[in-house]
Structures are given as structure tokens and as C-alpha cells.
Amino acid sequence: PQWIERLELSRSLFPDPVEPGTFLGELPPSAARWLGLPAGIPIAAGAADTQSGLLGSGALASGVCA
């Protein structure tokens, strides 16, 4: 994305974009212990609250107010 270039950030700092709900892997044991969750549970990509709310309200194009 252009904002990464404008801020002169390395693209390697950011994950590749994927669709919400995409399976990303399983929770490793070290993270599971730290979070108090079972190891091996599935990890999926999520979506940002504001953008999801806008889509859910019907604001699907520029200039649309839901």
C-alpha cells in the first residue's frame, strides 16, 4: 500500500493481506500458556470493527450514508 511507502516503512514489517476468516494456523504452546488458552486452537484472520460496521450498515460505496 502507498501509505507504507510514504512513511518509508519496510513492507516486511506487515503480513500479507488475506480475507477475514482465512485459517492462519494453530496457536503455539508458548502463546497458549501466556494467553491461558489451549494449544493448537485454530487462528483465523479477523476484520477491523469500524470497517465491518460500515459494511454491515450498508455503506458499500463512497458517499453512501447508511
Side-chain angles (χ1 to χ4, degrees), residues 26-60:
E26 295 179 349
L27 188 64
S30 58
R33 281 190 300 276
W34 189 78
L35 294 169
L37 296 170
I41 60 174
I43 299 172
D49 291 347
T50 300
Q51 290 79 2
S52 296
L54 289 169
L55 291 172
S57 70
L60 303 177

Side-chain angles (χ1 to χ4, degrees), residues 1 4 8-16:
I4 293 174
E8 299 179 7
L9 298 171
S10 172
R11 181 68 180 96
S12 66
L13 294 172
F14 302 92
D16 292 329

